[in-house]
Amino acid sequence: MSELYSKAETILLRKKYLGPSCKVFFAKDPLKIVRAKGQYMFDENGEQYLDCVNNVAHVGHSHPEVIKAAVEQMELLNTNSRFLHDSIVEYAKRLSETLPEKLSVCYFANSGSEANDLALRLARQYRDHQDVITLDHAYHGHVSSLIEISPYKFRKGKDIKKEFVHVAPAPDTYRGKYLEDHPDPAGAYADEVKKIIEEAQKNGRKIAAFIAESMQSCGGQVIPPAGYFQKVAEYVRKAGGVFIADEVQVGFGRIGKHFWSFQMCGEDFVPDIVTMGKPMGNGHPLSCVVTTQEIAEAFSASGMEYFNTYGGNPVSCAIGLAVLDVIEKEDLQENATQVGNYLIELLNKQKAKHPLIGDIRGIGFFIGIDLVKDQQKRTPATAEAQHVIYKMKEQRILLSADGPYRNVLKIKPPMCFTKEDAKLMVEQLDITLTVLEEATGTRTERLNEVSSNNASDSTSQAGENISKKRNGLYTEKHTVPGKRIRT
């Protein structure tokens, strides 16, 4: 579809016809994207942007194999999923082969929100329990049942937390309740869940489920300490509940070494329900809930039929199969491992150089850069993070910030992201942080020593040359007011 309106007209029409709560990225200067390919997006003027955060286009924007599969199936058949067709059973079979053996029953839907809502229904039907334990700062979807268990959302509104919802501390060892110097952070955080269960039971309540992203995204790219999920699962199952692993943002090989992020916990940990969405359709609406035969039979025993007109339709399944094929053919898990390790290595070098970087955490193509005003106090650098993502956008590199304080830079690119892309992104981040630190007076003696190193100077100079060559937006005289950071 060609452009119908100018960018200014598009903005005005959004304001007129779309709800005011429908926000866009970079609200102060939104991007109008007209096409995308691989790890790149292009605006109406043909300007190319490196996409470092779009985890929906999992195998790359507009992947030809995915497009081909969609077109061929659409030309042949797309219909209500209650008719028999082979692609839904083939896709269910292929998905189950990536999971532990006991996770073998699939329910297809259209979005991560639908999947997580259905997971709650399965959990509550299993033993007729109601209560849900969720993590602080968690986000699991936009439908009412999920807003209720998403502190990331419900604490922004006027609604009081529902009595059947229990919020456990996020297992964040950088800025959470128990830090990395704790002798057993996994046990300490799990004990918080145990206390919640015991208190709920004292009040006559019954736990239906504990739900968590295998790695917490909106919560600030948080990776739980080893052993945490195993202990939590033990406590929850003892209370008659089930463990729901939300893989909507972190599944399908994003961490490289494993296909599913919960597999980092080891073979001895198997969730009772796994939800998936975003990446599985490479931008096409497609999601799934996978569970055990026992839970599926309990759900069926309720007498309520699960019916989803579009979930698992022939076109969606053809696209899902193509995505699995591309991940395997292009060895994208290995790419996530190799490039992810390289990117984390580059970022750790920047951490040693920049006082604004408090923590680098991540695995594969799931990485967070926690920006701080003070490394000892770990004071969140919220305004600075917003400033950085806007300045990176000016340099045609797309990032976003999230976490409880919106100070964590998120890196979740398409799986075709390369080492050259990683190098370019880090070089530009180096320049952006250097300018910001000089302007706000946050550079330290340690920073100056590192910056005077010839190797670092060479890297910074190379990055500056690349930046000027690409768009000429940065100059050495560029300054930022010290009291207020303008984006």
Side-chain angles (χ1 to χ4, degrees), residues 3-14 26 28-33 43-45 49 393:
E3 281 189 85
L4 298 176
Y5 308 104
S6 69
K7 179 178 176 179
E9 290 171 331
T10 301
I11 292 172
L12 288 175
L13 288 168
R14 277 188 66 97
F26 309 106
K28 295 178 183 178
D29 182 25
L31 282 173
K32 184 175 183 181
I33 298 298
D43 68 12
E44 77 280 12
N45 298 314
Y49 292 81
K393 169 179 166 284

Side-chain angles (χ1 to χ4, degrees), residues 85-97 321 324:
H85 65 92
D86 287 345
S87 55
I88 191 171
V89 293
E90 175 64 12
Y91 190 33
K93 176 175 173 289
R94 289 276 301 277
L95 278 178
S96 66
E97 288 170 352
L321 286 164
L324 293 180

Side-chain angles (χ1 to χ4, degrees), residues 253-285:
R254 176 155 294 279
I255 65 170
K257 185 178 180 182
H258 301 289
F259 201 81
W260 304 104
S261 292
F262 73 79
Q263 291 172 322
M264 289 191 301
C265 300
E267 294 183 1
D268 64 327
F269 173 70
V270 180
D272 301 292
I273 301 173
V274 175
T275 60
M276 52 193 78
K278 292 183 190 299
M280 65 191 301
N282 210 53
H284 177 85

Side-chain angles (χ1 to χ4, degrees), residues 201-228:
Q201 290 174 333
K202 285 180 183 178
N203 294 323
R205 308 201 65 88
K206 296 179 180 180
I207 303 300
F210 171 91
I211 184 170
E213 289 183 279
S214 301
M215 298 187 296
Q216 204 171 1
S217 180
C218 291
Q221 305 295 90
V222 175
I223 301 176
Y228 170 70

Side-chain angles (χ1 to χ4, degrees), residues 46-60:
E47 291 285 354
Q48 175 180 290
Y49 292 81
L50 177 61
D51 185 355
C52 302
V53 75
N54 199 325
N55 63 328
V56 177
H58 192 64
V59 299

Side-chain angles (χ1 to χ4, degrees), residues 263-478:
Q263 291 172 322
M264 289 191 301
C265 300
E267 294 183 1
D268 64 327
F269 173 70
V270 180
D272 301 292
I273 301 173
V274 175
T275 60
M276 52 193 78
K278 292 183 190 299
M280 65 191 301
N282 210 53
H284 177 85
L286 176 60
S287 66
C288 187
V289 178
V290 186
T291 189
T292 66
Q293 193 69 42
E294 182 182 7
I295 292 174
E297 288 175 358
F299 187 59
S300 179
S302 71
M304 183 181 292
E305 176 186 6
Y306 174 69
F307 170 61
N308 191 314
T309 302
Y310 301 110
N313 70 75
V315 171
S316 293
C317 289
I319 289 171
L321 286 164
V323 170
L324 293 180
D325 288 340
V326 172
I327 292 172
E328 183 177 347
K329 289 178 182 177
E330 298 184 8
D331 205 6
L332 294 181
Q333 280 186 250
E334 180 62 20
N335 188 62
T337 298
Q338 295 298 325
V339 179
N341 288 344
Y342 175 70
L343 178 52
I344 290 171
E345 179 184 344
L346 293 180
L347 290 172
N348 277 321
K349 290 179 180 178
Q350 295 301 313
K351 179 178 181 291
K353 177 179 180 181
H354 292 287
L356 271 172
I357 298 179
D359 189 40
I360 302 294
R361 52 183 176 265
I363 180 171
F365 283 148
F366 183 89
I367 299 170
I369 306 171
D370 198 311
L371 298 186
V372 297
K373 295 179 179 180
D374 185 297
Q375 289 191 344
Q376 297 301 315
K377 297 179 181 179
R378 303 183 179 184
T379 313
T382 301
E384 290 82 353
Q386 301 308 308
H387 176 81
V388 167
I389 64 173
Y390 271 89
K391 289 305 174 184
M392 292 291 280
K393 169 179 166 284
E394 288 180 9
Q395 302 304 307
R396 311 294 187 259
I397 296 173
L398 303 182
L399 289 172
S400 66
D402 222 323
Y405 306 99
R406 301 194 71 80
N407 69 306
V408 180
L409 303 181
K410 299 196 298 185
I411 303 173
K412 297 184 294 184
M415 296 279 282
C416 53
F417 205 72
T418 68
K419 286 186 176 181
E420 290 73 21
D421 298 326
K423 186 171 183 290
L424 176 63
M425 189 214 78
V426 174
E427 286 173 344
Q428 189 54 58
L429 181 64
D430 179 22
I431 295 168
T432 302
L433 291 177
T434 297
V435 172
L436 178 57
E437 288 166 345
E438 288 177 344
T440 56
T442 57
R443 293 176 71 82
T444 63
E445 183 177 340
R446 177 181 61 82
L447 174 64
N448 290 328
E449 290 175 357
V450 175
S451 296
S452 66
N453 182 277
N454 289 335
S456 296
D457 281 344
S458 297
T459 300
S460 181
Q461 185 64 43
E464 189 169 350
N465 290 340
I466 290 173
S467 172
K468 290 180 178 178
K469 184 177 180 181
R470 294 176 77 209
N471 46 43
L473 288 175
Y474 262 90
T475 67
E476 292 183 359
K477 295 182 179 180
H478 180 82

